[in-house]
Amino acid sequence: MRLSRYFLPILKENPREAEIVSHRLMLRAGMIRQQAAGSFSWLPLGKRVLDKVCRIVREEQDRAGALEILMPTIQSADLWRESGRYDDYGKEMLRIQDRHERDMLFGPTNEEMVTEIFRSYVRSYKDLPLNLYHIQWKFRDEVRPRFGVMRSREFLMKDAYSFDLDYAGARAAYNRMFVSYLRTFTRMGLKAIPMRADTGPIGGDLSHEFIILADTGESQVFCHRDFLSLPVPGADTNFADDAEIGGIVKDWTTPYAATDEMHDEAVWASIADSDRVSARGIEVGHIFHFGEKYSKPMGAKVTGPDGKDHFVSMGSYGIGPSRLIAAIIEANHDEYGIIWPESVAPFDIALINMKAGDADCDKACEALYAELAATGRDVLYDDTDARAGGKFASADLIGLPWQVIVGPRGLAAGEVEIKSRATGERTSVPLADVVRTFRGTR
């Protein structure tokens, strides 16, 4: 993509309304535009990151056996009255009426709707286990939306819902999502720690939040230092082997870890001071098991192997891709801007033409642009006539993993400069070796 043809409205000054790093950098880098309190438009650069995050989420949900569907944003209030949550949910739910004066709502979550889908089609235990997920916009009318997309009213959510015959099956489904989440966040360059958590308005008796440690985190969290070195399951993990998956979950839940709401001071006191990690944390995922909380009032049951009807045991599993992007930035930035992990970067390489209009610089950049693109790399080519200092500042701000810097002085020596955004290291490379160099960087 040529920068001269790209929509990238970079801001030079820090916006006053931005209270935290991710909000400030997302606005400055031209990723988002605030439309109302807690509501944002995603501009081209931000949308590319959002799509890459969603792609990783989808790949790991699919790997774990979940099936993607897509449910509406607007839901009937009658479904929520069936479950008993319509009046209990609170003012966070945006309640509306259609032209026929039917009570509707903008979905804050989808337990009721997916349960209605399940009960309409599934009758036998032979159709279980089943896990359905979608990635859809949600709305929760926060009292005080703040921190940009970290705590917004409208947000993108991946929510999955599992259905099983009994608790044993439901626990196995919970474990599969647990391990899927570990892999998902690791692929985005994050170290997420699962912590016992309150179930909140979702309900249920088993819950974990996945927390990344960050100085700008929303809440205090507590964990054993062992979590910082635990190995994350690899791509060869067998999600069909309940014993293998259960063993991984045991390893990741044996050391102490809890959010502030679930913190146990007595247990904490028994851990050696050198093994305690008390820090701020950002929630990037939340999983729940809630058994028959929705299936029983809504009549979602199947015939079991004993010939009797059984209300299915359910769980739900959420990741907020839009919120997750802010968390990634909070964990990966410096004084100059964002430092994207390669897996979610909007482009792989910033190709910087130091002297656009110079015949040699233009020729070298055009050749590199074509050759790098041919290797499958996403390249943002700065072919504008801006000053060199401005080009460097913009490249650092948007945080692409690599910068290829082409200038007259280097070309005279047959070289270009390659900079790693993560380390700041700069190396001079022969022009003929640039493409070969990038073949080995991922």
Side-chain angles (χ1 to χ4, degrees):
M1 176 60 66
R2 297 174 188 273
L3 187 56
S4 60
R5 301 177 187 173
Y6 199 59
F7 181 53
L8 186 62
I10 285 177
L11 303 179
K12 293 183 179 180
E13 303 296 330
N14 288 327
R16 286 188 206 171
E17 70 270 24
E19 299 178 62
I20 61 172
V21 170
S22 57
H23 190 192
R24 181 168 69 248
L25 291 178
M26 291 181 79
L27 289 171
R28 286 199 57 211
M31 293 179 65
I32 57 173
R33 168 72 179 176
Q34 183 163 329
Q35 303 299 150
S39 178
F40 297 87
S41 290
W42 288 77
L43 306 182
L45 196 76
K47 181 62 164 54
R48 288 180 71 93
V49 180
L50 194 62
D51 288 345
K52 288 196 172 185
V53 167
C54 289
R55 187 198 70 221
I56 292 173
V57 169
R58 281 190 170 95
E59 289 173 356
E60 293 303 326
Q61 289 292 287
D62 296 345
R63 187 194 300 271
L67 303 172
E68 186 172 9
I69 61 174
L70 184 60
M71 292 177 276
T73 56
I74 304 299
Q75 303 182 29
S76 168
D78 290 342
L79 286 176
W80 286 67
R81 290 188 175 112
E82 277 192 64
S83 72
R85 280 209 299 174
Y86 185 71
D87 295 320
D88 294 342
Y89 201 88
K91 292 185 177 180
E92 287 76 23
M93 180 189 290
L94 181 61
R95 295 165 170 83
I96 55 180
Q97 285 189 331
D98 66 11
R99 67 170 63 197
H100 303 292
E101 298 186 350
R102 289 176 295 211
D103 291 332
M104 312 291 284
L105 58 98
F106 195 124
T109 183
N110 278 73
E111 281 80 7
E112 284 80 2
M113 183 169 285
V114 77
T115 302
E116 192 278 331
I117 291 172
F118 176 88
R119 74 183 181 188
S120 298
Y121 298 107
V122 181
R123 298 283 184 269
S124 170
Y125 75 96
K126 295 179 181 180
D127 296 319
L128 303 179
L130 181 64
N131 190 322
L132 303 175
Y133 80 95
H134 75 159
I135 299 176
Q136 179 61 287
W137 292 96
K138 303 285 194 292
F139 188 93
R140 294 176 188 170
D141 197 0
E142 296 277 355
V143 174
R144 189 186 174 198
R146 54 197 303 224
F147 304 149
V149 299
M150 185 75 76
R151 186 174 290 279
S152 57
R153 295 195 298 169
E154 188 174 9
F155 54 95
L156 191 62
M157 175 67 72
K158 185 286 301 183
D159 36 329
Y161 303 92
S162 62
F163 302 85
D164 289 272
L165 179 64
D166 51 26
Y167 177 80
R171 184 58 198 251
Y174 185 95
N175 289 347
R176 286 191 290 274
M177 286 292 100
F178 187 106
V179 174
S180 175
Y181 275 37
L182 293 176
R183 285 191 42 76
T184 298
F185 299 127
T186 298
R187 287 186 58 189
M188 297 179 193
L190 298 173
K191 183 71 173 182
I193 300 171
M195 301 191 177
R196 291 188 304 114
D198 184 26
T199 58
I202 301 294
D205 55 8
L206 177 64
S207 177
H208 284 88
E209 286 182 9
F210 288 77
I211 302 289
I212 63 167
L213 305 183
D215 293 338
T216 53
E218 303 162 289
S219 58
Q220 193 73 16
V221 296
F222 307 85
C223 70
H224 196 286
R225 191 168 298 278
D226 285 353
F227 276 109
L228 304 183
S229 57
L230 275 177
V232 174
D236 60 347
T237 301
N238 183 5
F239 281 92
D241 187 336
D242 288 347
E244 177 184 340
I245 298 300
I248 295 170
V249 172
K250 183 177 180 181
D251 291 342
W252 278 84
T253 53
T254 297
Y256 182 82
T259 59
D260 196 28
E261 299 92 340
M262 303 295 285
H263 182 50
D264 187 326
E265 278 292 343
V267 176
W268 187 243
S270 68
I271 300 172
D273 288 348
S274 59
D275 290 329
R276 295 182 191 172
V277 176
S278 176
R280 307 297 294 179
I282 299 172
E283 178 195 334
V284 291
H286 203 162
I287 62 177
F288 307 83
H289 167 259
F290 41 70
E292 300 173 355
K293 177 179 173 65
Y294 301 95
S295 61
K296 202 165 189 176
M298 297 187 69
K301 53 191 176 182
V302 296
T303 303
D306 56 3
K308 297 179 180 179
D309 285 344
H310 299 260
F311 292 109
V312 290
S313 189
M314 295 175 57
S316 71
Y317 316 91
I319 292 176
S322 53
R323 172 188 173 86
L324 185 53
I325 291 172
I328 292 171
I329 294 173
E330 292 292 335
N332 298 277
H333 68 273
D334 61 15
E335 60 186 303
Y336 303 109
I338 304 165
I339 305 174
W340 289 115
E342 290 203 35
S343 59
V344 296
F347 295 91
D348 301 311
I349 299 167
L351 175 59
I352 302 174
N353 187 338
M354 294 282 288
K355 194 173 182 181
D358 177 85
D360 291 338
C361 287
D362 289 351
K363 181 180 178 181
C365 285
E366 290 293 340
L368 285 172
Y369 183 49
E371 291 167 9
L372 288 168
T375 68
R377 294 282 184 164
D378 285 329
V379 181
L380 182 62
Y381 172 25
D382 188 344
D383 58 343
T384 67
D385 60 0
R387 292 185 177 182
K391 292 191 176 195
F392 289 142
S394 295
D396 283 346
L397 174 63
I398 65 176
L400 306 186
W402 299 97
Q403 297 173 19
V404 175
I405 304 162
V406 180
R409 187 179 302 175
L411 284 179
E415 296 179 335
V416 301
E417 196 171 43
I418 297 178
K419 174 184 172 181
S420 165
R421 179 67 182 90
T423 66
E425 181 181 357
R426 294 171 178 258
T427 55
S428 293
V429 177
L431 179 61
D433 293 343
V434 172
V435 175
R436 188 181 310 116
T437 299
F438 279 104
R439 286 198 180 106
T441 56
R442 68 175 177 186

